[in-house]
Amino acid sequence: MGKTTCRSPQTGAIVEKMGTVYGHTTVHPLGLAILLMLGVAMVIVKKEHAFIPVLVLACFISPAQRLVVASLDFSFVRIMVVFGVLRMVLRNEYHSFKLHAADKIMIAWAVTRMLLFTVQQRLAPSAFVYQLGTNFEELGIYFVARVLIRSIDDVRTIVKTLIILSFPVMFFFLLEKATGRNVFSIFGGVSPITEVREGRLRVQGAFAHPILAGSFWASIIPMVMAMIKKKGNTDVIALVSFISILTIIVLCSSSTPIIGIMLAFIGMAFFSFRFKMDKVRNALFIGYIALDLSMKAPVYHLLSRIDLAGGSTGHYRYLLIDKAIAHFRDWALWGVPDTTYWSEGTGETLNDIVNQYILNGVVGGMPTLILFVVMIIFAFRSIGRVIHSRALAGDDERFIWGIGASLFTHITMFIVVSYFGQIVMLWNLHLAICISMETIYAPEGVAAKLGEGQLLPIPGG
């Protein structure tokens, strides 16, 4: 992954990430027109179609587009959150919403991260404002989705939208591959000249980085796979979209999303064992311990050997984990403002935190990291409760498993990538989908009857 340049480490009043400059208004007239049309659409369309405009924005408008008002940074995704909240208020769609335990964990994670980062940054107002904006975006997407998603068909609509969007995205990726020019550079945040590594073009379209573009599409593969078979017949559009998504990922020329494809297949392959995942987990745990004992280096040293697309920085990712463990005391309380000193004796400059778990620790210490992991556990537990409640059967059950397998794909890729840009929206949307499925199909009365051994299926059941 390419390096990320940050002023006021990890975040700050002005942060540059892949050409995106925070704290300054960057608006293209075409981008603004599209934003307004999509925002109005989000307010007026039927509830089940409310997230279509957000997904369109994510796929075709770079994250550099933003408005800054009184030092408050509103990316286009954040503005779409405003439209989503406006919709819920105007239509009174939030009146029956009840907080789930996972919702409280999500809030606790966001608040903890904000407060501890502000303390870490010596109570700098810019640090607090930055995290406030980040929380508005992440919690906003999450809770708008929690309110609006009321059935499995609502989630299917989201996946169907991504299936349809994969075709024009693939077209623009192929165009970029053929020309070496990125048409989405008119919106800023992406280079007009496509990056080349090891002689291969790394296509990214409107996405924040080639790795994140590939990871975005890799993470939805299990849900698309679950849509291919419907009532014993093949959904041709879903099948062709699956091929389109694989094409998009290959064009990104990055190892991480290719690994994501493998993870997606692994996740779906375990569908047949959905009621025996406790045994699978135990076997995997024993296997990990045995492997760790038999190797001279830690198991995570295997990351340094991964290079599926050429030019991968697996050794960097291994060092990052190794040094994070070695410097645990430094960041455990409330994180650390700069990780450059971890580089001593490595021959690398360890200031690019390409690991979502370590990033949580660096930004907000162990309290933030623990809450982040707990939220993931709640999401898996929600999918598991739906599976074990036997409230759904056939295609619906397989689709629910696909949601869990997609979650598995996300959280495993977190070991080698940290999210920013459009994929952050997709991640928080996915968390909300998992929790919403439980509240709809496995309410507390049903879930309480399940055995403790059935509550944490990974992936998805």
Side-chain angles (χ1 to χ4, degrees):
M1 182 174 181
K3 299 300 181 186
T4 300
T5 302
C6 298
R7 297 180 190 172
S8 190
Q10 317 309 331
T11 50
I14 298 179
V15 181
E16 298 173 12
K17 248 182 184 176
M18 304 306 169
T20 299
V21 180
Y22 295 72
H24 292 279
T25 294
T26 304
V27 177
H28 189 281
L30 178 60
L32 182 60
I34 294 173
L35 171 70
L36 293 175
M37 287 189 292
L38 293 175
V40 171
M42 189 174 189
V43 174
I44 66 175
V45 297
K46 295 180 180 180
K47 176 183 64 63
E48 57 268 29
H49 299 147
F51 263 90
I52 293 178
V54 181
L55 297 172
V56 172
L57 182 82
C59 290
F60 300 108
I61 303 294
S62 84
Q65 293 286 284
R66 61 191 60 251
L67 291 169
V68 178
V69 181
S71 78
L72 300 178
D73 198 313
F74 288 91
S75 67
F76 276 16
V77 171
R78 293 177 190 178
I79 294 173
M80 290 300 288
V81 170
V82 174
F83 279 112
V85 173
L86 179 62
R87 174 201 172 89
M88 293 190 301
V89 172
L90 292 178
R91 296 183 171 226
N92 195 31
E93 292 173 322
Y94 61 90
H95 70 280
S96 61
F97 175 73
K98 294 182 180 179
L99 280 177
H100 184 280
D103 301 330
K104 298 174 184 178
I105 294 295
M106 187 72 175
I107 294 171
W109 167 75
V111 172
T112 299
R113 179 181 61 173
M114 179 175 63
L115 295 179
L116 291 180
F117 179 76
T118 303
V119 171
Q120 176 204 122
Q121 295 290 312
R122 300 182 179 181
L123 304 181
S126 61
F128 180 82
V129 170
Y130 179 86
Q131 287 294 347
L132 190 65
T134 300
N135 286 347
F136 176 80
E137 178 179 332
E138 298 195 38
L139 291 180
I141 288 292
Y142 176 84
F143 280 105
V144 169
R146 283 282 291 112
V147 170
L148 296 181
I149 293 174
R150 299 295 180 86
S151 72
I152 194 171
D153 288 334
D154 292 342
V155 184
R156 275 204 172 93
T157 298
I158 290 173
V159 179
K160 287 178 182 177
T161 300
L162 290 167
I163 285 173
I164 298 301
L165 290 176
S166 70
F167 299 125
V169 169
M170 182 186 67
F171 168 79
F172 283 112
F173 272 50
L174 288 171
L175 179 64
E176 185 178 345
K177 173 71 172 180
T179 64
R181 300 292 187 272
N182 191 338
V183 299
F184 295 102
S185 62
I186 63 171
F187 298 121
V190 297
S191 172
I193 309 299
T194 303
E195 177 188 347
V196 179
R197 188 172 71 179
E198 300 291 323
R200 302 180 65 181
L201 289 172
R202 306 186 73 197
V203 178
Q204 68 183 94
F207 293 85
H209 190 276
I211 290 179
L212 298 177
S215 299
F216 182 101
W217 293 100
S219 68
I220 69 166
I221 285 178
M223 293 184 290
V224 174
M225 291 175 67
M227 296 276 284
I228 292 175
K229 284 293 184 180
K230 189 174 182 180
K231 296 180 180 179
N233 299 316
T234 300
D235 186 322
V236 177
I237 295 178
L239 178 59
V240 177
S241 172
F242 175 73
I243 297 171
S244 297
I245 291 170
L246 294 181
T247 302
I248 290 169
I249 293 171
V250 170
L251 290 173
C252 294
S253 299
S254 302
S255 295
T256 299
I258 294 176
I259 293 172
I261 296 174
M262 299 177 183
L263 295 169
F265 276 93
I266 291 171
M268 290 304 293
F270 277 96
F271 177 69
S272 299
F273 301 93
R274 60 193 179 280
F275 299 116
K276 301 177 181 179
M277 288 307 296
D278 54 337
K279 295 181 176 62
V280 172
R281 290 195 308 274
N282 292 339
L284 290 174
F285 177 75
I286 293 172
Y288 180 91
I289 296 299
L291 188 61
D292 193 60
L293 292 174
S294 63
M295 290 177 59
K296 294 180 179 179
V299 173
Y300 56 84
H301 185 266
L302 293 173
L303 292 173
S304 64
R305 303 181 185 180
I306 297 176
D307 187 359
L308 302 180
S312 292
T313 53
H315 186 66
Y316 181 95
R317 286 162 166 78
Y318 154 69
L319 286 174
L320 188 64
I321 296 173
D322 198 54
K323 294 303 178 181
I325 294 172
H327 294 281
F328 174 78
R329 290 185 179 181
D330 297 347
W331 59 265
L333 186 57
W334 52 50
V336 62
D338 189 3
T339 58
T340 305
Y341 73 99
W342 293 4
S343 310
E344 185 177 355
T346 66
E348 297 276 2
T349 303
L350 300 177
N351 60 357
D352 188 13
I353 312 302
V354 287
N355 182 306
Q356 192 69 32
Y357 302 107
I358 295 176
L359 180 62
N360 271 269
V362 166
V363 171
M366 276 300 292
T368 300
L369 175 56
I370 289 171
L371 288 169
F372 181 72
V373 172
V374 169
M375 186 65 208
I376 291 172
I377 291 173
F378 267 85
F380 272 122
R381 184 171 68 172
S382 291
I383 296 300
R385 283 176 166 173
V386 176
I387 292 292
H388 284 280
S389 70
R390 302 179 189 269
L392 298 171
D395 295 336
D396 288 345
E397 185 181 34
R398 186 174 180 82
F399 184 68
I400 288 291
W401 183 268
I403 295 172
S406 287
L407 179 64
F408 170 74
T409 304
H410 274 296
I411 65 107
T412 312
M413 288 193 299
F414 281 167
I415 298 171
V416 292
V417 68
S418 56
Y419 284 0
F420 60 90
Q422 298 95 322
I423 199 169
V424 175
M425 177 278 298
L426 185 66
W427 165 245
N428 287 287
L429 173 60
H430 203 110
L431 285 177
I433 287 171
C434 293
I435 305 306
S436 292
M437 290 302 94
E438 179 191 348
T439 60
I440 296 165
Y441 298 107
E444 293 182 6
V446 174
K449 298 178 182 179
L450 299 176
E452 288 298 321
Q454 299 176 331
L455 298 184
L456 295 175
I458 298 178

